Amino acid sequence: MSPSPPLSSASSASSSAASASGSSPSRRRASPPLHSTLQREDFDEVLESEVFVDVNRLRKYARHGVPDEIRGEVWKYLLGVEKPDRSNEFTQRRARYEAYQEIDKENVEVSKRVRGEVTRYLMRTKKDAQLDPHTVPAIFEAVICAYINCNNHIEYSPALIPVCAPFVITMKNECDVYSCFERLADVLYKSSQESNINKRVAQFLSYFRTLMPELYNYFEEEDLDVGEWASSWLRHLLSKELPVPSVLGLWDVYFAMPDYIDFHPFVCLAILKHLKDSLEDLEQSEIRSMLLRLPKMNISRIVSQAYNIRSEIQARYNTSISPRS
């Protein structure tokens, strides 16, 4: 594999931060169980191919989770940032790196807001994210300012921080963080334009009411603002609500799918079903707190349940479902 071009970030701080936020940012791990080692060997066999990376095999393996140490490398292929054909690998990486260097990363108003939100995010996730608070804020700042400066139609939102965070956690350098974040942010923006998100929320709530009428009615009795949490869940792939390890595991599955935006509402329904008994024991403020800060959960089981729910909905409506149709 050709080496990545050296990264010279927007500032010396963000350059050192890029090194600090590699695919395995300093964290302690127990020895992996045998099945994890075998899984890692499967990924390595694909990634170490000298001519062509079989992305279809990566997708197949990623559906069962990606080892932490190589998640960033795998995501780059799943998101189309790295090309499967390695004949021009170094040239393509160099071009991407140089294009990123040319982007204006100065935005005083956005920078100030990013710094404040990153500080809050790091305090909230310090046990799981394991990010260096002295270095990584510069990466968030440069990447998000670059994205906003390149997309004048998009306004800064605090939600961009948790959407960007998984890439800061898993990627070795700032250019890769930007490239992957840009891919996902573009998809989320297109799926969340106002008329579209309103339609998606309405359809999601219709499924919720059909599948879990008792819980839906209980939310109404408690006068819960369903639109508040449902819109956030659908807009940002649960990056704000789920603990970091759960987000990473869920996104492994999503990036391996061609239609993860369409599949996502069923994951949200599976989470509600998983938490149903707990939620029915809570009052309004407690329900809201749980929905906005979800507990850690077994993502494999949630995804499996989501497939079952999608099949059930398709059978009920006797149709092939697309939440954006």
Side-chain angles (χ1 to χ4, degrees), residues 90-141:
F90 184 81
T91 302
Q92 291 170 351
R93 288 183 180 179
R94 172 64 67 177
R96 180 161 55 84
Y97 161 76
E98 291 177 350
Y100 177 66
Q101 291 304 107
E102 292 296 317
I103 299 174
D104 178 15
K105 303 172 187 68
E106 297 293 327
N107 190 316
V108 176
E109 181 181 349
V110 171
S111 291
K112 183 178 179 180
R113 297 176 69 184
V114 168
R115 284 194 296 270
E117 193 61 36
V118 167
T119 298
R120 287 185 285 275
Y121 177 83
L122 294 178
M123 289 181 64
R124 190 173 72 244
T125 63
K126 58 184 176 182
K127 290 183 179 179
D128 290 327
Q130 297 285 303
L131 293 173
D132 186 342
H134 301 292
T135 55
V136 298
I139 297 181
F140 280 98
E141 191 174 334

Side-chain angles (χ1 to χ4, degrees), residues 20-305:
S21 65
S23 53
S24 55
S26 46
R27 61 186 72 183
R28 297 174 184 170
R29 290 192 181 89
S31 298
L34 178 61
H35 69 84
S36 295
T37 304
L38 294 175
Q39 183 190 47
R40 172 66 190 266
E41 291 174 356
D42 288 336
F43 280 102
D44 286 344
E45 182 182 352
V46 178
L47 293 172
E48 290 169 4
S49 170
E50 295 182 1
V51 179
F52 185 86
V53 173
D54 189 339
V55 177
N56 286 331
R57 283 180 66 192
L58 283 185
R59 293 185 191 282
K60 176 183 176 182
Y61 298 151
R63 291 190 183 101
H64 304 286
V66 181
D68 291 346
E69 298 84 355
I70 56 171
R71 178 172 281 119
E73 193 69 16
V74 172
W75 280 8
K76 284 187 286 182
Y77 284 102
L78 298 184
L79 289 168
V81 169
E82 291 278 20
K83 305 303 180 187
D85 183 353
R86 287 195 144 152
S87 58
N88 294 311
E89 180 181 57
F90 184 81
T91 302
Q92 291 170 351
R93 288 183 180 179
R94 172 64 67 177
R96 180 161 55 84
Y97 161 76
E98 291 177 350
Y100 177 66
Q101 291 304 107
E102 292 296 317
I103 299 174
D104 178 15
K105 303 172 187 68
E106 297 293 327
N107 190 316
V108 176
E109 181 181 349
V110 171
S111 291
K112 183 178 179 180
R113 297 176 69 184
V114 168
R115 284 194 296 270
E117 193 61 36
V118 167
T119 298
R120 287 185 285 275
Y121 177 83
L122 294 178
M123 289 181 64
R124 190 173 72 244
T125 63
K126 58 184 176 182
K127 290 183 179 179
D128 290 327
Q130 297 285 303
L131 293 173
D132 186 342
H134 301 292
T135 55
V136 298
I139 297 181
F140 280 98
E141 191 174 334
V143 166
I144 291 176
C145 285
Y147 183 71
I148 295 294
N149 288 344
C150 288
N151 296 273
N152 294 327
H153 58 289
I154 296 178
E155 295 184 2
Y156 170 77
S157 164
L160 291 176
I161 304 303
V163 170
C164 183
F167 303 116
V168 177
I169 293 168
T170 59
M171 302 291 164
K172 289 184 178 180
N173 64 51
E174 189 179 296
C175 177
D176 289 338
V177 172
Y178 176 80
S179 298
C180 292
F181 169 72
E182 179 187 38
R183 292 292 177 103
L184 179 58
D186 284 349
V187 170
L188 296 184
Y189 174 76
K190 290 174 184 175
S191 72
S192 296
Q193 293 181 66
E194 203 57 40
S195 61
N196 198 10
I197 191 61
N198 290 340
K199 187 175 181 179
R200 292 177 65 217
V201 168
Q203 190 168 60
F204 170 75
L205 294 178
S206 174
Y207 294 158
F208 177 23
R209 183 170 55 245
T210 299
L211 289 173
M212 290 166 273
E214 300 91 350
L215 184 60
Y216 183 91
N217 291 334
Y218 184 64
F219 280 9
E220 287 204 323
E221 290 171 11
E222 289 294 315
D223 199 24
L224 193 72
D225 183 356
V226 179
E228 176 194 17
W229 61 267
S231 177
S232 178
W233 281 26
L234 294 174
R235 281 179 186 269
H236 309 119
L237 299 184
L238 296 165
S239 59
K240 294 172 61 179
E241 293 82 13
L242 279 173
V244 170
S246 298
V247 173
L248 299 179
L250 181 61
W251 288 14
D252 287 342
V253 177
Y254 280 179
F255 296 159
M257 303 175 75
D259 60 344
Y260 61 88
I261 291 295
D262 291 343
F263 184 68
H264 179 62
F266 303 107
V267 169
C268 295
L269 291 168
I271 289 173
L272 286 173
K273 190 167 187 176
H274 174 71
L275 297 175
K276 180 178 181 294
D277 291 343
S278 298
L279 290 167
E280 289 178 340
D281 288 335
L282 302 177
E283 296 180 351
Q284 186 205 65
S285 61
E286 297 168 320
I287 296 172
R288 183 178 181 276
S289 295
M290 177 176 280
L291 294 176
L292 297 181
R293 288 288 179 269
L294 293 167
K296 189 179 294 186
M297 54 191 72
N298 186 318
I299 291 300
S300 294
R301 291 181 183 175
I302 294 296
V303 169
S304 179
Q305 183 65 57

